[in-house]
Amino acid sequence: MSGIQFDRIALIGIGLIGSSIAHDLKRLGLAKEVVVSTRSAETLKRAEELQLGDRYTPSSAEAVKDADLVIVSVPVGASESVAKDIAAHLKPGAIVTDVGSTKASVIAQMQPHMPSNVHFIPGHPLAGTEKSGPDAGFPGLFKGRWCIFTPVPGTDQAAIKRLRDFWETLGSRVDEMDPEHHDKVLAIVSHLPHLIAYNIVGTADDLETVTESEVIKYSASGFRDFTRLAASDPTMWRDVCLHNRDAILEMLARFSEDLASLQRAIRWGEGDKIFDLFTRTRAIRRSIVEAGQDVDAPDFGRHALDTKE
Ligand code: NAP
């Protein structure tokens, strides 16, 4: 038990991320009361069966009443409608945050609706899996992971500190950056890898003559590592693409150029060039392990460390 940090916390959206937060709130005893809200009766019922909160309501407006901390965990494209729904019901002095994978768009959607007497602090925990829904969450998801805040200028420093303490209690390390920078960085470390995975798995699926047998049978040769990313939630990733369009298009253009250069090296038998690239990339893998962001196990530590992003 870590101790109460907020009297009432409202969780708006209770999928993988919302439910993982809920597990930690309970495990660490961080709130006197946790109110869970989600739009569908089915998910709400499941959240109740899993005992993810103390109270459950389909109305986000109802959920945020008297909440000291509101955490919005819905696909980024739904941010504006949630902000509109909750705005008039927020408690003065409340902290409102989100977990969305893109930040400039979430700020553009939510900030204009936020009353001046609440502290809106956009956030993004870099932790997740390819699963979704309330059953997918688990305690400790955020342990050892980064959480990035992209506060708008003039945000109350004491509120930022409170939210930072909260995420640190969940085991995260917190960084702050401006939203455009966040979106660029995430375009390369998260969004592009997912798009490559979606694309390669789609290409294999289009090769109908082999997909039903050989591709699956021999997948351990490399293909299966892409399928994990390509199994990620389609709604979430559609929204990420549409809401970080410019940075993603820029990274895709650079990727295509580099791929063309590799293609040319293969065509012209430029072994040294190919070898140099593969040596450089191997060192990056080593740095990631050294930074504690993955473990050096034959299964990439997926059993011990079932996280990505
Ligand atoms: P999820 O498991 O699919 O859960 C989504 C939640 O949002 C559910 O409660 C769902 O409600 C609700 N929702 C879906 N569409 C909505 C809409 N149009 N309006 C209002 N509510 C809606 O998603 P998640 O993986 O937790 O992702 C939530 C957020 O976290 C996203 O913004 C994502 O970018 C971000 N994120 C995800 C990961 C990851 O790896 N998954 C990592 C970091 C951040 P119903 O089920 O009731 O429809």
Side-chain angles (χ1 to χ4, degrees), residues 13-17 38-40 43 74-75 99 101 125 127-128 132-133 236 309:
I14 196 77
L16 166 72
I17 300 296
T38 189
R39 61 177 182 168
S40 78
T43 305
V74 301
V99 298
S101 304
S132 47
M236 169 188 158
E309 216 188 329

Side-chain angles (χ1 to χ4, degrees), residues 179-208:
E180 287 74 24
H181 186 68
H182 165 280
D183 289 355
K184 267 197 184 140
V185 172
L186 267 293
I188 187 66
V189 299
S190 172
H191 307 168
L192 189 63
H194 279 82
L195 289 179
I196 293 168
Y198 279 122
N199 197 56
I200 195 171
V201 176
T203 302
D205 190 44
D206 289 340
L207 301 171
E208 279 175 12

Side-chain angles (χ1 to χ4, degrees), residues 229-303:
L229 291 183
S232 300
D233 189 71
T235 305
M236 169 188 158
W237 283 97
R238 176 205 60 200
D239 281 12
V240 168
C241 290
L242 299 179
H243 290 268
N244 195 19
R245 194 182 59 170
D246 293 348
I248 288 176
L249 288 178
E250 188 186 324
M251 292 307 164
L252 273 175
R254 293 178 74 127
F255 174 78
S256 304
E257 275 175 33
D258 291 343
L259 190 63
S261 160
L262 181 59
Q263 199 175 355
R264 204 167 38 242
I266 295 170
R267 185 182 309 287
W268 296 108
E270 295 171 343
D272 287 352
K273 198 170 171 184
I274 298 169
F275 186 84
D276 285 352
L277 173 66
F278 293 178
T279 306
R280 199 151 51 87
T281 56
R282 197 176 215 194
I284 291 187
R285 169 78 200 157
R286 270 200 300 275
S287 317
I288 289 171
V289 173
E290 277 162 25
Q293 292 300 301
D294 209 344
V295 294
D296 195 11
D299 66 352
F300 287 91
R302 293 304 172 222
H303 292 108

Side-chain angles (χ1 to χ4, degrees), residues 53-87:
D54 303 300
R55 265 197 308 122
Y56 305 85
T57 168
S59 159
S60 51
E62 174 64 33
V64 302
K65 270 184 203 152
D66 288 324
D68 309 286
L69 173 65
V70 175
I71 306 177
V72 178
S73 311
V74 301
V76 289
S79 308
E80 180 159 30
S81 70
V82 169
K84 276 185 186 163
D85 289 346
I86 63 175

Side-chain angles (χ1 to χ4, degrees), residues 37 75 108 113 134 149 170-171 175 188 202 225 231 235 253 260 276:
S37 177
H113 302 284
F149 294 173
L170 267 47
D175 249 353
I188 187 66
D225 287 346
T235 305
D276 285 352

